[in-house]
Amino acid sequence: MRYGNVRINTTRHPPPATHHPPPATRYPLPATRIENYAAFLYNSSVATLEISLLGAPIIQLDRQPVTFESRKALALLAYLAVSGAPHQRSELAALLWPESDNKRARGALRYTLSILQGALGKEWLESDRETIGLVQDAPCVVDVVRFQKLLESGRDHLHTPDTACLDCVQPINAAVALYRDDFLTGFSLRDSVNFDEWQFFQREGWRHQLVNALRRLIRFHTQQADYQQALKSARHLLQLDPLQESVQREAMQLYAHSGQWELALRQYEECVRLLETELGVPPSPATTQLHEQIRGQRLGAAQRPAGAEPPAPTAIPPTARPHNLPAANMPILGRQPEIAAIRELLNDPHCRMVTLLGPGGIGKTRLAHQIAIDLCHAPEAHFARGVYFVPLAAVESADLLVTAIANALELPFSGPKAPQAQLLQYLREQHFLLVLDNFEQLVTSAPLLAELLNAAHGLKLLITSRERLNLHEEWLYEIRGLPLPPVTAAPAELKANGCIQLFYHQARRLDPHFALDAALPAITQIAHMLQGMPLGLELAAGWVRTFSCAEIARQIQ
């Protein structure tokens, strides 16, 4: 496979023969089932454009690979396919040619559009003097769109979005099968930082959805006592990110549930090795505690008489409080002092509300999320009714704030009583921790939080915001950038720094062969220029497949 002026893909991918009936028995797909859509298209006589972006890009027209004379043509097609809507020419010109003036950029866009039309045919694109888009009703199959629809197919089922039922499993498995690799793997535009930033956020978004899908499968199969299927999804998660301790613990638990004690202990040893080799840190107390429990269960199993009943597997996992916390996509790096300090505040009986204050991209959400995960298992926490995460980025009024909190708690409103009064009544005498994320646009609604705290004496709030809430109950904790690596430090000390570890972790996700030692001086320079901002470090690391670290540093400078 190559890019640029040559072929994008050279291999046909016909669907497996078992996925479609022979031509003589071809019938419409049942409306109640989600089948392999590619198989249906394979049997169709209608020419179809297939755009596969989850992995290295594959473009096929009527089952034949498409070639392009320009990388920008492929980038334009990917952007139009993902958005699913026409875009202004000026927007597309700025996306793909950010360093050119408007006249040159629009001229380059016209030329690129002609290349795209020449490769696909004009019938797939609609354009006028102002906009360009894919034809809306054309038989075009985009894998990311299909992936999204499959995962959303169970939205109206009677369970929370982070779990699954029997009817959900088939479409979730189909979605996971569509995910060949991360979005546009191996593709980038060296001269378009705007497109590369868009690609970065797309990649992280689709990856996050895959992680959540796999976690739903793990929960479902574990509840069904089908530990082998649960382990299959857990191993898939570990392939995505082996440094996720929570997933390592899940794999250990699943091996133990299925009686594979040695594999459970071996999983712990592998976890210890990875954390030491990659990050230079020991496993968390929760992981060590689980290891001791499994080791004790293994010894007990060896001493039981033949035929004796094994202990119930529910004795293995550490106790966890109810929660709705989303899956963690990355380990928290370099924030141990902040985590300890904020947990100490939340354990203070006089502290009812902590606001994590800081600019966008500084890592407030990830920090709050990790603290919430820790408090789900911490013996000293007193949140018997659970820890709940309330995303507020799209919430802009007090009424919607009440609804968002109720939705997180799965509290249905009923009767003539006002929703706010029902929420206050529900929280009264309950012991919850609510994590309210992105509160800055709701500062004028902050008095509602004081009402909640006055009504519910067992409630505590952990809030992330770019602005102070100016409440009497508010305890502020300012979040700054990660500690900067000393410029003159030895390599071993640099590798233990949070900025270096975060950059390295992100770079390794994109390039498994990324060499850290030679890049340490450049990464140190990058960390100082970005003042330790986590989002900046992740964005910078997203360029390692295109530039050396020294070149990235020069670009930032």
Side-chain angles (χ1 to χ4, degrees):
M1 179 183 298
R2 292 179 294 171
Y3 296 104
N5 297 326
V6 293
R7 186 181 301 275
I8 293 174
N9 68 304
T10 58
T11 306
R12 293 187 64 186
H13 298 274
T18 56
H19 282 187
H20 59 85
T25 59
R26 187 183 307 148
Y27 298 105
L29 294 177
T32 57
R33 297 178 59 195
I34 298 179
E35 297 288 355
N36 187 323
Y37 196 44
F40 169 74
L41 294 170
Y42 184 70
N43 286 309
S44 176
S45 59
V46 179
T48 304
L49 176 62
E50 298 174 71
I51 303 174
S52 300
L53 305 175
L54 292 173
I58 300 173
I59 314 300
Q60 291 185 315
L61 182 58
D62 201 17
R63 307 298 299 172
Q64 297 300 316
V66 178
T67 60
F68 295 97
E69 298 177 6
S70 165
R71 296 165 65 86
K72 295 288 179 73
L74 175 58
L76 175 60
L77 178 62
Y79 188 77
L80 296 175
V82 171
S83 66
H87 289 271
Q88 295 290 321
R89 286 179 179 254
S90 56
E91 173 195 343
L92 297 172
L95 175 76
L96 298 174
W97 294 273
E99 297 183 2
S100 299
D101 59 50
N102 184 59
K103 183 177 180 180
R104 288 190 178 186
R106 288 180 70 105
L109 177 62
R110 287 193 296 272
Y111 176 71
T112 301
L113 177 60
S114 68
I115 292 176
L116 196 55
Q117 291 174 327
L120 299 178
K122 293 186 177 181
E123 65 271 20
W124 297 101
L125 295 151
E126 53 185 6
S127 61
D128 53 34
R129 293 177 60 87
E130 296 300 326
T131 64
I132 300 174
L134 290 175
V135 174
Q136 293 297 303
D137 297 327
C140 178
V141 181
V142 185
D143 61 347
V144 293
V145 176
R146 180 67 176 158
F147 179 81
Q148 183 81 45
K149 289 182 178 178
L150 286 165
L151 292 182
E152 292 179 350
S153 62
R155 176 173 288 179
D156 58 348
H157 294 176
L158 298 178
H159 57 73
T160 57
D162 61 339
T163 57
C165 63
L166 186 61
D167 292 332
C168 292
V169 172
Q170 183 180 357
I172 294 175
N173 277 321
V176 170
L178 279 176
Y179 200 102
R180 296 175 291 117
D181 205 338
D182 286 337
F183 182 76
L184 288 180
T185 296
F187 182 82
S188 64
L189 295 180
R190 293 178 63 94
D191 60 345
S192 178
V193 64
N194 293 347
F195 180 85
D196 272 9
E197 286 183 0
W198 172 80
Q199 180 181 335
F200 170 84
F201 286 109
Q202 289 292 323
R203 180 175 65 239
E204 293 302 298
W206 299 119
R207 188 184 180 97
H208 177 74
Q209 292 200 44
L210 174 66
V211 168
N212 285 340
L214 290 169
R215 286 190 174 275
R216 291 173 67 189
L217 290 174
I218 291 172
R219 291 190 189 101
F220 173 81
H221 290 303
T222 301
Q223 291 168 357
Q224 301 295 315
D226 189 350
Y227 301 124
Q228 293 307 314
Q229 284 298 318
L231 272 166
K232 180 180 177 182
S233 296
R235 286 192 290 264
H236 193 159
L237 267 180
L238 288 174
Q239 288 176 353
L240 292 173
D241 189 354
L243 297 178
Q244 275 294 331
E245 272 195 83
S246 61
V247 185
Q248 293 280 2
R249 288 195 295 270
E250 282 186 292
M252 291 164 61
Q253 291 169 342
L254 291 168
Y255 278 126
H257 284 333
S258 57
Q260 301 179 77
W261 307 104
E262 295 300 329
L263 290 178
L265 296 176
R266 194 179 304 169
Q267 190 72 44
Y268 172 77
E269 294 170 359
E270 176 66 7
C271 176
V272 172
R273 184 191 68 79
L274 283 168
L275 291 172
E276 175 59 33
T277 303
E278 302 292 340
L279 303 178
V281 298
S284 68
T287 305
T288 304
Q289 178 187 359
L290 178 59
H291 170 249
E292 294 300 321
Q293 291 174 333
I294 291 175
R295 188 169 65 173
Q297 291 281 346
R298 192 275 307 266
L299 293 175
Q303 296 168 1
R304 285 194 298 272
E309 288 293 323
T314 52
I316 295 168
T319 301
R321 293 165 180 81
H323 69 85
N324 72 334
L325 300 174
N329 289 330
M330 287 187 65
I332 190 81
L333 300 170
R335 292 294 195 188
Q336 284 69 32
E338 290 95 332
I339 290 174
I342 297 165
R343 283 183 60 172
E344 185 176 354
L345 284 178
L346 290 171
N347 287 326
D348 186 333
H350 302 291
C351 176
R352 303 283 310 284
M353 179 175 74
V354 178
T355 299
L356 305 186
L357 189 67
I362 206 68
K364 303 183 298 296
T365 297
R366 188 172 295 169
L367 186 57
H369 180 236
Q370 184 62 49
I371 292 168
I373 290 176
D374 291 347
L375 291 177
C376 278
H377 299 88
E380 76 274 11
H382 303 290
F383 310 117
R385 289 302 304 275
V387 179
Y388 288 88
F389 188 87
V390 186
L392 298 174
V395 177
E396 297 181 351
S397 69
D399 290 341
L400 293 177
L401 174 59
V402 169
T403 302
I405 295 173
N407 288 341
L409 296 171
E410 298 183 31
L411 169 64
F413 293 133
S414 60
K417 201 171 185 178
Q420 183 171 328
Q422 293 186 53
L423 177 61
L424 291 171
Q425 182 177 356
Y426 178 77
L427 291 174
R428 199 178 307 276
E429 304 305 328
Q430 303 290 353
H431 291 79
F432 283 108
L433 173 66
L434 297 183
V435 181
L436 306 179
D437 187 43
N438 291 315
F439 202 90
E440 52 271 0
Q441 77 280 4
L442 288 165
V443 171
T444 55
S445 302
L448 172 63
L449 303 184
E451 290 187 47
L452 295 179
L453 293 173
N454 289 332
H457 300 292
L459 175 68
K460 290 201 177 187
L461 303 176
L462 178 60
I463 298 167
T464 72
S465 177
R466 301 182 188 185
E467 298 182 26
R468 293 181 54 179
L469 308 191
N470 295 313
L471 293 177
H472 177 73
E473 296 84 356
E474 181 180 35
W475 293 48
L476 288 175
Y477 192 98
E478 186 174 359
I479 306 301
R480 304 177 185 272
L482 293 169
L484 297 175
V487 177
T488 58
E493 185 179 352
L494 288 176
K495 290 179 181 179
N497 176 265
C499 290
I500 303 294
Q501 290 179 349
L502 179 59
F503 188 100
Y504 178 56
H505 182 268
Q506 183 67 18
R508 277 287 304 276
R509 288 176 58 189
L510 303 176
D511 180 5
H513 305 293
F514 179 79
L516 177 60
D517 289 337
L520 279 173
I523 300 175
T524 300
Q525 183 184 1
I526 291 169
H528 279 266
M529 286 191 291
L530 297 176
Q531 299 180 333
M533 178 175 283
L535 179 59
L537 290 165
E538 290 180 28
L539 288 171
W543 287 77
V544 296
R545 295 182 64 92
T546 306
F547 299 110
S548 70
C549 289
E551 290 173 324
I552 294 172
R554 284 195 292 272
Q555 291 281 345
I556 295 173
Q557 196 169 28

